[in-house]
């Protein structure tokens, strides 16, 4: 198997087969690029929707918005679809668009190294080594489960697993079960297992703001209507998008309206939880939106049941089969389910990617935290693009909208590479000043938002830096990534000094769309007969402009 992939070269290597990876594959084929592979470590497509199979697993974004614009599904069974339906949708996308011929299953990326002489990436995988002109990382932020370091956990005699690695062979019926965490996974798991377990203990370090989900079955009449008249489905998607754009505006720009949102959440809790002491435990002391706001219709009712106990303290240590909270309370259990999230701000892939200077992404981000130009590219890592990169996370809307915006950027990136190369190898490397300027403005905007009002969340890294969240609407992000601005890049050519130039101080010059991008488009707009010679000149001029 390893020999089969040895010495292979492709135009593009995509990592992952979730929404990001499959979306990239579709857009590449539509743009005329068929010389690519999609590397998937699992045996099937789906990404996080393949891995997460816990009881109650579902999306908290409406189905008709949590799907590709180019692959509408008129047959969604519920307004918020369960995991099996989302995974089936992704399988359908892979089949409909003929993507399986490009996918290498059971192929885990082990290291990526940039070759500055050949201007391509060396991709080492569990199935062999290949090279690629360009790499698209679509591993996503929810791919690597994070387990807390709890003293004594290794000596626990019962069953322990993370929500993303659910053990379906273990029978929870009648067991004493502890759920550690109260985030997006926990509020789905708790209602699903509460009726069958003997005793359920929830370790809650920080309560969440929870709003009604209002989930329901989508009727057969609605599904038939959408199938027969696709415009009705587009209208439904547009309405869902518009509502969530307004919600984002409230969280980002109108903090004076947030108390009204908090009142809705408190009323939602009061209807289900009659015990004043339990309501006290479940009441957040931070502004709504600071952490991800959760949606559920059955979470509060499950917590109010006689076999459920909420420990409003984090898990401190384990002694045998006894769990000890930070405030000293002890609970004996048979199984522990960790809903402790994922490595979002410290992505493991960053340790595997070596750029032009031989340093890893993790090392490049050590000082300032995870950051990228327009959430997509990083200085010193030419022709390496993220789908769902730094500061692209959302708190209210669909990540598929962010993904599609970045795929527009990817297609334009390749188009400009092809034109600038003129049949020869070329690469684009982010100018450090462009990346710094973009992120300085981004963090300045976040500093005055609800996401930096004092709570701890996955939007922030361990040092409290806002590395994950996008502080605007999806329309704003789409505008920010509608095209590649050549002013923000250096053009690298074989035998050039691109890597060395990157080390020089680049503090002068504009990082706005200007002469270089204008020259590129002017060359493209010329009549065909005159284009080849002028395009070559434009390439020379563009290279000088961006240097």
């Amino acid at each position: 198997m390893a020999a089969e992939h040895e010495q292979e070269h492709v135009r593009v290597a995509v990592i992952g087969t979730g929404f990001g990876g499959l979306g990239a594959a579709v857009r590449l084929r539509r743009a005329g690029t068929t010389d690519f592979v999609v590397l998937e470590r699992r045996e099937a497509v789906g990404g996080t929707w393949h891995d997460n199979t816990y009881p109650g697993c579902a999306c908290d974004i409406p189905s008709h918005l949590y799907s590709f614009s180019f692959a509408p599904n008129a047959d969604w069974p519920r307004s918020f679809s369960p995991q099996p339906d989302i995974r089936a949708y992704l399988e359908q996308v892979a089949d409909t668009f003929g993507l399986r011929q490009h996918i290498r299953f059971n192929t885990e990326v082990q290291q990526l190294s940039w070759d500055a002489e050949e201007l391509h990436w060396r991709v080492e995988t569990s199935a062999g080594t290949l090279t690629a002109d360009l790499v698209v990382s679509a591993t996503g932020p929810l791919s690597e489960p994070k387990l807390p370091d709890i003293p004594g956990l290794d000596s626990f005699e019962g069953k322990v697993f993370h929500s993303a690695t659910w053990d379906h062979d273990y029978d929870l019926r009648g067991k004493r079960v502890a759920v550690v965490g109260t985030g997006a996974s926990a509020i789905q798991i708790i209602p699903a297992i509460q009726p069958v377990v003997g005793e359920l203990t929830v370790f809650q370090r920080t309560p969440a703001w929870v709003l009604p989900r209002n989930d329901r079955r989508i009727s057969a009449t609605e599904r038939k209507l959408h199938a027969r008249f696709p415009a009705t489905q587009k209208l439904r998607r547009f309405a869902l998008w518009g509502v969530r754009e307004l919600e984002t505006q409230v969280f980002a720009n109108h903090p004076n309206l947030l108390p009204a949102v908090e009142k809705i959440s408190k009323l939602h809790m009061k209807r289900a939880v009659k015990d004043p002491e339990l309501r006290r435990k479940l009441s957040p002391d931070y502004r709504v939106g600071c952490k991800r706001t959760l949606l559920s219709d059955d979470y509060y009712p499950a917590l109010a049941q006689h076999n459920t106990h909420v420990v409003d303290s984090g898990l401190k240590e384990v002694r045998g089969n006894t769990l000890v909270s930070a405030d000293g309370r002890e609970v004996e259990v048979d199984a522990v389910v960790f809903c402790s999230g994922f490595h979002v701000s410290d992505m493991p892939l960053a340790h595997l990617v070596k750029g032009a200077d031989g340093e890893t992404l993790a090392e490049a981000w050590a000082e300032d935290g995870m950051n990228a130009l327009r959430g997509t590219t990083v200085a010193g890592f030419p022709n390496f693009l993220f789908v769902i990169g730094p500061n692209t996370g959302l708190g209210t809307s669909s990540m598929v909208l962010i993904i599609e915006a970045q795929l527009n950027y990817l297609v334009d990136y390749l188009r400009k590479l092809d034109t600038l190369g003129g049949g020869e190898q070329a690469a684009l490397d982010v100018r450090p000043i462009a990346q710094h300027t973009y992120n300085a403005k981004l963090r300045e905007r976040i500093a005055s938002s609800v996401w930096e009002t004092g709570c701890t969340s996955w939007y922030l890294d361990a040092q409290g830096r806002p590395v994950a969240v996008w502080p605007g609407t999806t329309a704003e992000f789409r505008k920010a990534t509608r095209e590649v601005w050549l002013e923000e890049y250096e053009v690298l050519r074989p035998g050039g000094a691109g890597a060395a130039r990157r080390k020089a101080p680049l503090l002068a010059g504009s990082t706005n769309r200007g002469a270089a991008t204008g020259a590129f488009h002017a060359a493209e707009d010329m009549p065909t007969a005159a284009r080849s010679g002028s395009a070559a000149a434009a390439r020379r001029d563009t290279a000088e402009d961006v240097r």
Side-chain angles (χ1 to χ4, degrees), residues 123-395:
V123 185
E124 298 177 33
T125 79
S126 58
T129 301
L130 64 150
T131 57
D133 295 335
L134 184 143
V135 170
V136 178
S137 173
T139 58
L142 308 181
S143 58
E144 296 291 342
K146 181 168 62 176
L147 282 170
D149 185 14
I150 305 295
L153 184 60
D154 292 342
S155 64
F156 182 70
E157 298 174 359
K159 189 69 178 179
V160 178
F161 47 88
H162 189 280
S163 60
T165 56
W166 196 272
D167 187 347
H168 291 277
D169 293 330
Y170 184 76
D171 191 357
L172 292 176
R173 286 179 295 183
K175 298 290 198 308
R176 299 168 299 176
V177 180
V179 173
V180 181
T182 52
S185 297
I187 71 162
Q188 296 179 346
I189 291 172
I190 289 168
I193 67 173
Q194 176 271 319
V196 301
V197 302
E199 295 289 331
L200 178 60
T201 302
V202 179
F203 281 83
Q204 172 195 266
R205 186 175 57 185
T206 308
W209 288 103
V210 182
L211 295 170
R213 190 176 180 210
N214 297 322
D215 185 28
R216 66 172 181 86
R217 289 199 63 81
I218 297 177
S219 69
T221 301
E222 291 174 276
R223 297 199 297 271
K224 290 177 182 178
L225 178 68
H226 292 331
R228 186 171 181 181
F229 303 103
T232 62
Q233 187 175 357
K234 290 182 179 179
L235 181 61
R236 183 175 193 157
R237 180 184 175 93
F238 180 78
L240 291 169
W241 169 78
V243 169
R244 273 146 188 81
E245 293 290 272
L246 290 175
E247 290 176 356
T248 301
Q249 289 281 9
V250 170
F251 284 110
N253 304 317
H254 301 284
N256 57 304
L257 299 178
L258 293 177
V261 180
E262 293 174 357
K263 287 182 180 179
I264 296 173
S265 178
K266 290 176 180 177
L267 180 60
H268 183 48
M269 182 204 304
K270 189 174 182 180
R271 286 172 176 167
V273 179
K274 305 305 180 184
D275 179 8
E277 175 59 16
L278 181 55
R279 285 206 301 266
R280 182 196 64 78
K281 291 180 180 180
L282 300 177
S283 298
D285 61 358
Y286 56 89
R287 179 50 46 91
V288 64
C290 185
K291 298 169 74 74
R292 184 178 174 91
T293 304
L294 307 179
L295 303 179
S296 178
D297 299 324
D298 48 14
Y299 175 62
Y300 284 142
L303 294 182
Q305 298 304 308
H306 69 280
N307 66 331
T308 306
H309 313 284
V310 177
V311 177
D312 55 337
S313 180
L315 179 59
K316 180 182 179 181
E317 62 176 310
V318 178
R319 301 172 189 162
N321 276 17
T322 300
L323 307 187
V324 184
S325 67
D327 61 2
R329 280 174 281 181
E330 299 182 2
V331 181
E332 190 168 337
V333 299
D334 302 308
V336 182
V337 179
F338 281 99
C339 298
S340 44
F342 299 83
H343 289 278
V344 176
S345 62
D346 56 341
M347 63 174 70
L349 181 73
H351 297 276
L352 307 180
V353 184
K354 291 187 176 181
D357 294 335
E359 69 176 359
T360 65
L361 262 173
E363 291 168 338
W365 286 337
E367 183 176 346
D368 295 325
M370 188 172 73
N371 68 95
L373 174 64
R374 304 184 186 278
T376 309
T377 51
V378 180
F381 298 83
N383 287 9
F384 184 90
L385 285 78
F386 282 106
V387 175
I388 309 185
N391 288 111
T392 59
L394 299 174

Side-chain angles (χ1 to χ4, degrees), residues 45-58:
V45 304
T48 191
W49 295 109
H50 169 276
D51 295 347
N52 286 267
T53 60
Y54 59 79
C57 184

Side-chain angles (χ1 to χ4, degrees), residues 95-131:
D95 292 333
T96 300
F97 292 93
L99 305 182
R100 294 189 186 276
Q101 61 183 306
H102 299 281
I103 301 175
R104 306 278 175 82
F105 291 112
N106 300 306
T107 303
E108 183 168 9
V109 172
Q110 297 172 333
Q111 189 172 68
L112 297 106
S113 305
W114 175 251
D115 188 326
E117 293 297 321
E118 300 294 333
L119 295 184
H120 65 213
W121 285 94
R122 178 179 173 86
V123 185
E124 298 177 33
T125 79
S126 58
T129 301
L130 64 150
T131 57

